[in-house]
Amino acid sequence: MDEGEILEMADVLKKKYEELEKKEELQRFKLQEMTKSLCVAYGCARLLDQMSEMVELPISMDFLIGSIRSSLSDILFTNEELDI
C-alpha cells in the first residue's frame, strides 16, 4: 500500500466518522424533543387525573385517564439510565 492509498482510506474513515457524529447529534435532538412532548402529555394526564376526582365521570373514563398517566409515567421515569 502506498501513501496515497493510506491517505485516501483515512479520508474515507474521517468522512464516515463525521457522518456518524451528525446522525448521533440528530438522534439526541429528536430524543430531547420527544422527551419534552412526553413531559407535556404527562402533565396534561396528571391534570386530567386530578380533575376527574372533582367530577363524576364514567368508570371507563377514569380507567383510561389513569392508564394514560401510568403509561406515560413508566416511559418517562424508568429506572434504567440510557448511556447516550
Side-chain angles (χ1 to χ4, degrees):
M1 233 189 269
D2 66 354
E3 187 177 336
E5 289 176 330
I6 293 172
L7 289 174
E8 185 178 326
M9 288 172 56
D11 190 48
V12 168
L13 285 174
K14 180 183 174 192
K15 286 179 183 176
K16 286 189 181 256
Y17 181 78
E18 289 171 351
E19 195 176 294
L20 287 173
E21 278 187 324
K22 286 180 184 178
K23 285 181 182 180
E24 183 180 359
E25 186 178 328
L26 179 62
Q27 292 299 322
R28 284 180 189 270
F29 176 76
K30 286 181 178 181
L31 178 61
Q32 187 178 24
E33 292 302 308
M34 287 172 54
T35 302
K36 287 178 188 177
S37 296
L38 285 170
C39 286
V40 169
Y42 177 73
C44 291
R46 291 276 318 255
L47 286 172
L48 282 173
D49 197 23
Q50 290 176 355
M51 290 169 60
S52 70
E53 293 174 4
M54 298 178 220
V55 180
E56 186 67 34
L57 291 175
I59 294 173
S60 60
M61 290 292 286
D62 276 337
F63 175 77
L64 287 174
I65 292 169
S67 296
I68 290 169
R69 183 194 46 76
S70 177
S71 296
L72 288 169
S73 178
D74 290 344
I75 292 168
L76 287 170
F77 306 115
T78 59
N79 290 331
E80 297 177 22
E81 289 292 323
L82 297 176
D83 189 24
I84 297 178

